[in-house]
C-alpha cells in the first residue's frame, strides 16, 4: 500500500513539474514583449521539432539523415504553392504537403534501404541538393526568387498574423504534440523495432523485424513531421526560397539532437533550447564587431560538447548527481523495482 | 502430421564464388528432440545453419519445415512460423537494458504482444525462466559472456518458438557455466521446444542430444546417437587426425 502511494506521489510530482514548465512557456509572451526574443522562441520551437523528426531516424533508428532541410523545404513549397495557386485553406495545405513529402521520401528511399551502411546518409545529401537544384530551375516552383504567401488581415483560418504571439503558441503546441507523438512511438512496437534495427540488423531480422519495412516507416514519419515544420515556417516567414534547403540547414536540424542527446526523445528540445538562443545571441552581439566570429564561437561550443559530453547533455544528466538530487529531493522517485512492482500489479 | 520431421533439409549446397562451403547435405530434425551438429572449424556448420534460418539462400537444394517448402523465406519471416535462433557471436542490443532487449522481441513473432503491458509481462516471464530476472535493469553491453549468451536465448524464447536454433551457445563458457547452460537448454526442451544446436563442447553434445550430425569439409560424414557418432572410425579420424587428410590442400 505504501509502495502504491509512493508511486502515485511520484507520478503526481512529475505531472506538477511538467505543468509548471508548461505554464512558464505559456506565460512568457505575457511578460516578454520584445518581438526579437519571441522570434528566438519561435525559432527554438520549430527547429526543435525538426530536430525531433531527425532524431526518429538518427537517434532511434541509427540512420543519419543529412537532408532534413529538403523535407522541410518540400513541405513548405507544397503547402505554399497549394495556397497560392488553388487558394485552399492553409491548414488543409499542411496536410496535403505532409502527404506529398511522405510519398516522395518513401519512393526515393526505398531502394537505398536495401543496401546497408552509410548509403542512406549519402543519398539524403544528394536528395536535398537535387531537390534544391530542381526547384531553382523550375518555373512552376518560382525558380530562385521563391514563393510569397499573401499578406492580409489577422486570421486563424488563414493562419496569418502581424504579431508573433499566435505563432509562438502554435509553435509551442506543435512542439509538444510532436514530442508526445515521438514518446508514444518510442514505447510502441515500432519504437522497439527501430531501436533493435539501430543496435543490430541481423538481430532484428532474427526476432521477426523486417528492417526495410520499419526503416521506410521511420523515414516517412520523419519526413512528414519535417514537412509540417516547413508549413509552419512558411506561414511564419510568409516567404520561401530554395535557400531554405541548403546543406547547412540540414546540419542545423541535426545539432539540437546531438547536443541535447540523440538517445532521448527529449534531447532535441533540450539541445534546441540551449543552442538556438546561443547562436542568435552570438549573432546579435558579435557579428557586427567581427563578421563570422559568431559562427566560430558556435563551432567551439559544439566541439566542446561533442568532445566532453558525446552522449549529449541529457546523456550526461542521466548519470549525474544532479539527476540523483532531482529524483530524490524534488520528484521523490521510488526505486525502479518498486515502480515496476506497482505497475505490474496494477493491471491484473 | 507428427511423423513428418519438423525440419527436412534436402540436398543443400552452398557455393561462395569458387568455394563450396556446403556440399549436398541432407538431414532431418526430429520433432520434440534435441539434435546437434558438430564438426571441425570450417566444416560448414554455420553456413548450413544460416541457410536453414533464411540468412542466405542455398545455391541448390530445398529446406522443408513441417512439410512446407521454406527455402525462399526471409530471415524475418521465421518468428512468425514459430522458429527462432541465436547467434554464435552474441548480438545483444547493447545500449538497451536486458529487459528492453527481451521486450523488443516479445513484440514480434506469431504470438506477438498486443500492447506494452503484454510485452513486458511476457518478457518478465522469459527473464525468470532463463535466470536473468535479477539483472533486468543492467545494460546488456555491461554483462559478461555467460549472461549475454543467456540473453541470446531469452530473446529467442520471447518470440514463443516451437523450434529453436542455437548457434554455439556454450562457446567461451567455463565448465560450471556450461553445466548451467545445459540445464537451461534441457528445461527449454522439456517445455516443448524442439532444439537444433551447433556445438564444439562435446560434454554438452553428449549429454543433450538425441541425434548428432557430423559435418566435415562441407559434407555430412556421419549421423546417429552421440555414442554411435563418437565411435565412428571416420569421425575419430577427422577429429583426432589419425591419418593425414588428402583434401587438406
Amino acid at each position: 500500500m505504501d509502495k502504491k502511494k509512493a508511486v502515485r506521489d511520484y507520478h503526481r510530482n512529475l505531472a506538477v513539474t511538467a505543468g509548471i514548465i508548461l505554464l512558464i512557456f505559456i506565460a512568457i509572451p505575457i511578460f516578454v514583449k520584445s518581438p526579437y526574443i519571441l522570434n528566438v522562441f519561435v525559432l527554438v520551437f520549430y527547429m526543435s521539432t525538426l530536430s525531433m523528426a531527425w532524431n526518429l531516424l538518427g537517434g532511434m533508428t541509427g540512420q543519419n539523415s543529412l537532408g532534413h532541410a529538403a523535407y522541410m523545404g518540400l513541405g513548405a513549397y507544397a503547402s505554399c504553392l497549394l495556397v497560392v495557386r488553388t487558394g485552399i485553406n492553409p491548414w488543409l495545405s499542411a496536410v496535403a504537403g505532409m502527404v506529398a513529402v511522405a510519398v516522395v521520401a518513401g519512393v526515393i528511399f526505398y531502394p537505398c534501404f536495401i543496401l546497408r551502411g552509410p548509403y542512406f546518409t549519402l543519398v539524403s545529401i544528394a536528395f536535398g541538393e537535387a531537390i534544391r537544384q530542381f526547384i531553382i530551375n523550375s518555373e512552376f516552383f518560382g525558380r530562385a526568387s521563391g514563393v510569397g504567401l499573401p499578406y492580409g488581415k489577422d486570421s486563424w483560418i488563414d493562419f496569418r498574423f502581424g504579431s508573433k504571439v499566435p505563432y509562438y503558441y502554435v509553435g509551442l503546441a506543435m512542439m509538444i504534440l510532436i514530442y508526445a507523438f515521438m514518446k508514444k512511438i518510442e514505447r510502441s512496437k515500432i519504437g522497439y523495432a527501430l531501436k533493435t534495427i539501430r543496435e543490430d540488423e541481423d538481430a532484428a531480422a532474427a526476432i521477426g523485424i523486417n528492417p526495410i519495412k520499419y526503416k521506410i516507416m521511420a523515414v516517412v514519419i520523419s519526413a512528414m513531421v519535417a514537412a509540417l515544420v516547413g508549413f509552419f515556417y512558411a506561414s511564419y516567414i510568409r516567404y520561401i526560397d530554395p535557400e531554405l534547403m541548403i546543406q547547412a540547414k540540414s546540419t542545423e536540424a541535426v545539432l539540437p539532437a546531438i547536443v541535447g542527446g540523440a538517445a532521448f526523445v527529449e534531447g532535441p528540445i533540450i539541445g534546441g533550447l540551449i543552442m538556438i538562443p546561443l547562436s542568435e545571441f552570438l549573432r546579435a552581439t558579435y557579428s557586427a564587431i567581427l563578421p563570422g566570429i559568431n559562427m566560430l564561437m558556435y563551432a567551439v561550443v559544439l566541439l566542446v560538447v561533442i568532445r566532453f559530453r558525446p552522449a549529449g547533455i541529457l546523456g550526461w544528466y542521466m548519470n549525474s548527481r544532479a539527476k540523483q538530487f532531482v529524483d530524490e529531493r524534488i520528484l521523490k522517485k521510488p526505486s525502479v523495482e518498486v515502480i515496476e512492482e506497482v505497475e505490474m500489479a496494477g493491471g491484473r | 502430421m507428427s511423423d513428418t520431421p519438423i525440419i527436412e533439409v534436402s540436398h543443400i549446397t552452398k557455393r561462395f564464388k569458387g568455394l563450396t562451403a556446403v556440399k549436398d547435405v541432407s538431414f532431418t530434425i526430429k520433432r520434440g528432440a534435441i539434435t546437434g551438429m558438430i564438426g571441425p572449424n570450417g566444416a560448414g556448420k554455420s553456413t548450413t545453419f544460416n541457410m536453414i534460418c533464411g540468412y542466405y539462400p542455398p545455391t541448390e537444394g530445398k529446406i522443408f519445415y513441417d512439410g512446407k517448402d521454406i527455402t525462399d523465406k526471409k530471415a524475418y519471416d521465421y518468428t512468425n512460423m514459430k522458429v527462432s535462433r541465436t547467434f554464435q557471436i552474441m548480438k545483444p542490443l547493447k545500449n538497451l537494458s536486458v529487459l528492453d532487449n527481451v521486450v523488443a522481441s516479445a513484440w514480434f513473432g506469431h504470438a506477438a504482444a498486443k500492447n506494452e503491458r503484454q510485452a513486458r509481462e511476457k518478457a518478465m516471464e522469459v527473464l525468470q525462466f532463463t535466470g536473468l530476472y535479477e539483472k533486468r535493469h543492467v545494460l546488456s553491453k555491461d554483462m559478461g559472456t555467460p549472461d549475454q549468451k543467456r540473453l541470446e536465448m531469452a530473446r529467442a524464447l520471447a518470440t514463443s518458438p516451437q523450434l529453436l536454433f542455437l548457434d554455439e551457445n556454450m562457446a567461451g563458457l567455463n565448465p560450471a557455466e556450461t553445466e548451467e547452460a545445459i540445464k537451461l537448454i534441457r528445461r527449454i526442451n522439456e517445455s516443448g521446444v524442439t532444439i537444433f544446436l551447433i556445438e564444439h563442447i562435446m560434454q554438452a553434445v553428449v549429454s543433450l542430444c538425441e541425434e548428432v550430425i557430423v559435418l566435415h569439409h562441407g559434407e555430412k560424414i556421419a549421423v546417429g546417437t552421440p555414442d554411435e557418432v563418437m565411435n565412428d572410425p571416420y569421425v575419430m579420424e577427422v577429429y583426432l587426425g589419425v591419418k593425414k587428410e588428402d583434401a587438406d590442400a
Side-chain angles (χ1 to χ4, degrees), chain B residues 121-134:
Chain B
E121 273 169 10
K122 194 163 162 200
M124 291 289 193
E125 228 171 82
V126 171
L127 286 174
Q128 247 150 7
F129 184 79
T130 48
L132 284 169
Y133 187 73
E134 296 306 320

Side-chain angles (χ1 to χ4, degrees), chain A residues 187 189 192-193 196 198-200 202-203 205-211 214 336-337 340 343-344 347-348, chain B residues 55 75-76 79 87 91 93-96 99-100 103-105 107-108 116-117 120-121 124 136-137 155:
Chain A
R187 296 175 65 104
K189 182 173 183 166
Y192 276 101
T196 308
R198 173 188 73 198
E199 298 294 332
D200 196 310
D202 284 331
I207 64 173
I209 297 165
N210 178 347
Y214 280 95
V336 188
E337 281 76 20
E340 200 170 65
E343 273 177 4
M344 294 313 269
R348 270 183 200 154
Chain B
Y55 276 75
Y76 50 77
T79 54
F87 290 94
K91 295 176 182 291
L93 313 179
K94 293 194 192 75
N95 296 305
L96 301 183
L99 177 62
D100 278 345
V103 169
S105 28
W107 281 108
F108 295 91
E116 201 190 350
R117 162 162 225 99
R120 286 175 70 94
E121 273 169 10
M124 291 289 193
R136 64 194 180 283
H137 296 302
R155 224 174 40 197

Side-chain angles (χ1 to χ4, degrees), chain B residues 147-217:
Chain B
D147 283 334
Q148 287 196 355
K149 295 264 182 194
R150 240 162 225 269
L151 179 58
E152 279 285 321
M153 280 199 261
R155 224 174 40 197
L157 285 177
T159 62
S160 325
Q162 66 165 353
L163 172 58
L164 179 61
F165 290 105
L166 302 175
D167 193 353
E168 293 204 27
N169 212 259
M170 281 169 261
L173 302 189
N174 68 31
E177 290 158 356
T178 304
E179 203 50 52
E180 284 296 307
I182 288 174
K183 275 186 204 152
L184 177 58
I185 291 173
R186 195 168 284 137
R187 270 216 312 279
I188 295 171
N189 180 240
E190 278 162 7
S191 74
V193 181
T194 305
I195 291 176
F196 179 60
L197 52 84
I198 295 185
E199 203 50 71
H200 266 308
I201 300 182
M202 280 305 157
Q203 171 203 359
V205 174
V206 171
S207 80
L208 280 170
C209 296
E210 237 171 68
E211 193 171 59
V212 178
I213 296 148
V214 189
L215 287 193
H216 183 52
H217 286 314

Side-chain angles (χ1 to χ4, degrees), chain A residues 298-316:
Chain A
Y298 191 71
V300 168
V301 172
L302 197 67
L303 284 176
V304 168
V305 170
I306 291 172
R307 170 62 185 80
F308 293 102
R309 296 285 174 258
I313 291 163
L314 273 178
W316 159 77

Side-chain angles (χ1 to χ4, degrees), chain A residues 332-348:
Chain A
K332 309 225 182 300
K333 186 180 184 180
S335 71
V336 188
E337 281 76 20
V338 171
I339 298 181
E340 200 170 65
E341 194 186 319
V342 172
E343 273 177 4
M344 294 313 269
R348 270 183 200 154

Side-chain angles (χ1 to χ4, degrees), chain A residues 309-321:
Chain A
R309 296 285 174 258
I313 291 163
L314 273 178
W316 159 77
Y317 170 77
M318 286 298 169
N319 294 311
S320 70
R321 286 231 193 85

